[in-house]
């Protein structure tokens, strides 16, 4: 039987209460705490983890060290190649960048990160033409699916026509091509990063949130 992967999250902040797609969030521009559960290597075990835009991580090693039970963290490079840092082995100790999500792979017993940080209301995204960016969606976003994100970016930057993709637990991309209305219009889940590849550069994008 195929094992289905479930991620539950609790996000805590100072003001307001909002029920999101997966988990419960109290949303403001203050602090967040997110506790997903990532299955182990017996099943599909990759999760594209959004980080709060203000966080204490500096590099891949600091992120992996903080996630008990994780075996690998990976960056989705602009050319679509995964760059990884592996527990006990090493690899590419890439720099953690504000607004970027990272792919976490659970070890044999799975992983349960406790991610804390805060929102930065002044931060905006730049998506470069033809390059992939694994965007860390805010935990209190108002967008609900891939087409809503496509429409938001396209409205902010006409002509950008971004491809919007979800990195699934088995490492396969599900993509939505909003300009032609084809692909998978997947749901945006709490704590899930989204890969954006625009046709034209979009600068100063403000991700909608409560």
């Amino acid at each position: 039987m195929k094992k289905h992967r479930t991620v539950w999250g609790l996000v805590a902040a100072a003001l307001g209460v909002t029920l999101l797609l997966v988990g419960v969030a109290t949303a403001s521009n203050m602090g967040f705490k997110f506790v997903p559960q990532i299955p182990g290597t017996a099943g599909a075990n990759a999760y594209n983890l959004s980080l709060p835009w203000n966080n204490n991580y500096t590099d891949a090693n600091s992120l992996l060290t903080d996630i008990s039970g994780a075996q690998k963290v990976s960056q989705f490079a602009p050319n679509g190649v995964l760059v990884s840092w592996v527990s006990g082995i090493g690899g590419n100790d890439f720099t953690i960048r504000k607004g970027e999500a990272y792919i976490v792979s659970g070890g044999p017993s799975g992983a349960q990160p406790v991610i804390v940080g805060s929102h930065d209301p002044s931060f905006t995204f730049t998506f470069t033409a033809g390059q992939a960016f694994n965007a860390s969606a805010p935990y209190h976003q108002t967008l609900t699916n891939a087409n809503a994100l496509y429409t938001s970016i396209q409205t902010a930057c006409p002509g950008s026509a971004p491809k919007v993709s979800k990195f699934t637990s088995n490492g396969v991309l599900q993509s939505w091509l909003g300009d032609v209305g084809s692909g998978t219009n997947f749901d945006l889940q709490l704590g899930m990063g989204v890969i954006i590849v625009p046709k034209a550069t979009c600068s100063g994008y403000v991700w909608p949130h409560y």
Side-chain angles (χ1 to χ4, degrees):
M1 178 181 294
K2 180 178 179 180
K3 294 187 177 180
H4 294 281
R5 182 176 170 285
T6 304
V7 177
W8 297 93
L10 175 66
V11 179
L15 299 171
V17 179
T18 304
L19 181 64
L20 298 184
L21 293 175
V22 180
V24 176
T26 57
S28 76
N29 288 335
M30 303 297 286
F32 296 102
K33 180 180 180 182
F34 179 49
V35 187
Q37 295 184 12
I38 301 171
T41 51
N45 69 333
Y47 182 65
N48 193 11
L49 176 66
S50 281
L51 297 177
W53 295 347
N54 292 325
N55 60 73
N56 293 321
Y57 303 113
T58 57
D59 52 29
N61 185 61
S62 67
L63 179 58
L64 182 62
T65 300
D66 192 55
I67 301 178
S68 176
Q71 67 173 5
K72 179 173 65 174
V73 293
S74 302
Q75 181 183 54
F76 199 93
N79 61 358
V81 174
L82 289 184
V83 176
S84 300
W85 181 255
V86 183
S87 178
I89 297 175
N92 190 318
D93 191 14
F94 53 82
T95 300
I96 299 297
R97 298 187 294 171
K98 179 176 288 192
E100 187 172 46
Y102 300 97
I103 297 160
V104 179
S105 298
S109 300
Q112 186 170 4
V114 179
I115 305 298
V116 297
S118 62
H119 182 68
D120 180 356
S122 65
F123 177 73
T124 61
F125 286 92
T126 295
F127 304 123
T128 302
Q131 295 186 9
F133 186 83
N134 190 11
S136 186
Y139 293 167
H140 56 324
Q141 67 172 320
T142 56
L143 303 175
T144 58
N145 57 40
N147 189 62
L149 177 56
Y150 167 85
T151 301
S152 178
I153 297 174
Q154 173 67 7
T155 300
C157 301
S160 58
K163 179 171 73 172
V164 180
S165 300
K166 172 183 178 179
F167 190 94
T168 66
S169 58
N170 59 1
V172 175
L173 291 184
Q174 292 181 355
S175 298
W176 176 251
L177 301 171
D179 54 332
V180 295
S182 68
T184 302
N185 185 22
F186 55 85
D187 290 336
L188 301 180
Q189 299 173 342
L190 174 62
M192 182 187 79
V194 187
I195 298 163
I196 310 296
V197 184
K199 291 184 177 180
T201 296
C202 178
S203 299
Y205 175 67
V206 179
W207 201 295
H209 61 79
Y210 290 103

